[in-house]
Amino acid sequence: MPQSIVRNVKPDELGALPKNLHDWTSGFIEATGTAIALTSDSFDPTGCFVAEDKGSIVGCVAVTSLPRKNWLVVRYLSAKRALSRVYAVEKLLSRALQYVETKNPEFLRATTPSMQPYVDVYKSFGFRPVRRDFRITWDLAGTSEKENKQVEIREVTEKTAPEISEVYVESVRPYWDWRTEEQGGEEAVAQKFKEGLKKGERWLSGSVGKSVVGLTGLIPDYYRTGEARFRGTFVVPEYRGRGYGRTMMSQALSWAKKLGQHKITVYTFSYLECLAPGALLYMGSGGKIESEYLQLQRAL
Ligand SMILES: CC(C)(COP(=O)(O)OP(=O)(O)OC[C@H]1O[C@@H](n2cnc3c(N)ncnc32)[C@H](O)[C@@H]1OP(=O)(O)O)[C@@H](O)C(=O)NCCC(=O)NCCS
């Protein structure tokens, strides 16, 4: 059996990884988002390792930093024909965890496509599943919008962003508290919302009287022309369960079409044993689950 060598990625090898990851995981890891992540300022290639077999790259893994100091996530553990390369997958994870030890970690989790051998390899290294993530897409040609609540829709501008960023922070509670913590707290989340707008994210707010009840956002042409990244639909806790989520979702779908999009894609989480309200809302509005991922955590 060929024995792979595991080593640090070389700078000129990074460019090919998104397509490799896509191919090795049958598209569960998508190339566009990965390419953006691997070229972002927060990505440190010293935490990225590859498996090499007879001169070809056949696997990889990366240790990435969360915005919160010393909080780390292992991602992109994958290999070409991984089921016949379990040993290389184990060697990659083992190398990544050695690297983690050098970073004074205070928190460690991983995220992986929900497929073998990755899930079992993580478990064999002491990781335990904590929640699932889904990639959900809408083919906008096949959706019809039904609204039953009257809300006043306004696009969020740079001027209204500071106020709306506070509403956003409120509207992710309590489901996304785990993520708010990973992002460094509520102020950091509000800041990120404002920065997102400057970088091309677009958001609609829905108001009833003077109160903003919900938000929905997207990044047009993110994946390719006509294919948006959907940032999700959020309703302020006190207004939930009254149809505003469905209404804001409907607004999002018609807005995306007006912006020339034919497909939108969101990543959202669910619990291990049941779907979260967001995933249910999305599936009820014509979204289809494309891929499933597992988040796992390891005690330090
Ligand atoms: C998801 C969310 C927007 C739903 O808003 P809402 O105003 O309560 O939703 P609606 O009253 O319009 O209900 C629409 C659908 O949402 C789902 N839903 C709403 N509340 C739910 C709950 N408590 N449990 C499970 N599903 C729920 C259901 O599918 C519901 O359809 P149904 O009434 O036919 O069962 C809201 O729970 C929220 O803001 N959650 C936090 C933000 C979030 O996770 N958004 C997705 C991020 S990607």
Side-chain angles (χ1 to χ4, degrees):
M1 202 173 73
Q3 298 271 304
S4 308
I5 305 161
V6 169
R7 58 164 174 81
N8 246 125
V9 72
K10 294 176 189 156
D12 64 346
E13 290 167 341
L14 277 172
L17 284 186
K19 168 128 190 357
N20 283 339
L21 284 163
H22 172 278
D23 295 350
W24 298 338
T25 62
S26 313
F28 273 59
I29 300 181
E30 45 86 12
T32 308
T34 306
I36 292 171
L38 296 190
T39 51
S40 82
D41 290 344
S42 58
F43 182 76
D44 180 0
T46 61
C48 182
F49 305 93
V50 290
E52 188 188 310
D53 202 342
K54 295 192 196 118
S56 309
I57 304 288
V58 294
C60 93
V61 67
V63 178
T64 60
S65 296
L66 285 165
R68 188 156 169 178
K69 197 163 175 266
N70 298 344
W71 282 39
L72 304 170
V73 183
V74 182
R75 298 179 199 273
Y76 309 130
L77 178 63
S78 63
K80 186 175 180 180
R81 290 193 294 278
L83 284 166
S84 53
R85 276 204 175 87
V86 178
Y87 178 71
V89 174
E90 288 170 344
K91 221 162 150 181
L92 281 161
L93 183 56
S94 165
R95 182 67 193 85
L97 293 174
Q98 265 174 28
Y99 175 82
V100 165
E101 288 310 315
T102 67
K103 304 298 278 182
N104 300 320
E106 284 172 23
F107 170 89
L108 179 65
R109 73 161 171 86
T111 199
T112 175
S114 281
M115 50 172 76
Q116 300 294 21
Y118 311 115
V119 171
D120 276 350
V121 169
Y122 274 113
K123 284 185 178 170
S124 72
F125 279 78
F127 284 81
R128 293 287 160 257
V130 284
R131 59 185 81 83
R132 294 181 290 166
D133 284 314
F134 295 108
R135 183 169 78 220
I136 299 180
T137 63
W138 289 254
D139 169 4
L140 297 181
T143 60
S144 59
E145 292 86 49
K146 297 173 228 87
E147 292 170 33
N148 46 24
K149 284 277 175 181
Q150 288 295 316
V151 289
E152 202 174 318
I153 297 294
R154 285 190 205 96
E155 182 159 1
V156 180
T157 62
E158 234 176 281
K159 193 160 165 250
T160 56
E163 181 200 332
I164 300 295
S165 69
E166 301 296 322
V167 178
Y168 174 72
V169 164
E170 210 186 322
S171 70
V172 301
R173 289 181 202 143
Y175 302 108
W176 294 87
D177 285 357
W178 61 273
R179 189 166 187 279
T180 299
E181 213 184 336
E182 288 188 357
Q183 298 294 307
E186 295 193 335
E187 252 174 59
V189 170
Q191 187 56 31
K192 200 127 192 239
F193 179 89
K194 289 181 272 188
E195 282 164 16
L197 276 169
K198 288 192 187 134
K199 290 188 197 148
E201 284 190 14
R202 298 181 66 176
W203 286 86
L204 294 181
S205 67
S207 304
V208 174
K210 286 196 173 126
S211 308
V212 176
V213 298
L215 298 170
T216 192
L218 52 79
I219 312 173
D221 306 318
Y222 178 90
Y223 293 102
R224 55 180 68 85
T225 305
E227 295 187 12
R229 174 158 185 175
F230 181 43
R231 291 284 285 102
T233 289
F234 302 83
V235 170
V236 174
E238 63 182 293
Y239 293 101
R240 286 180 191 154
R242 303 191 211 166
Y244 291 121
R246 196 182 300 284
T247 299
M248 291 308 291
M249 195 57 227
S250 187
Q251 290 287 342
L253 297 175
S254 45
W255 189 39
K257 283 187 207 172
K258 265 187 223 139
L259 295 174
Q261 309 299 295
H262 59 85
K263 184 176 170 187
I264 66 170
T265 301
V266 74
Y267 285 89
T268 194
F269 90 100
S270 275
Y271 309 105
L272 289 178
E273 290 172 2
C274 66
L275 294 171
L280 283 161
L281 168 69
Y282 296 159
M283 288 164 71
S285 66
K288 300 268 181 297
I289 294 178
E290 240 183 20
S291 317
E292 181 174 338
Y293 311 85
L294 194 62
Q295 292 187 27
L296 306 103
Q297 207 164 311
R298 196 173 95 148
L300 291 164

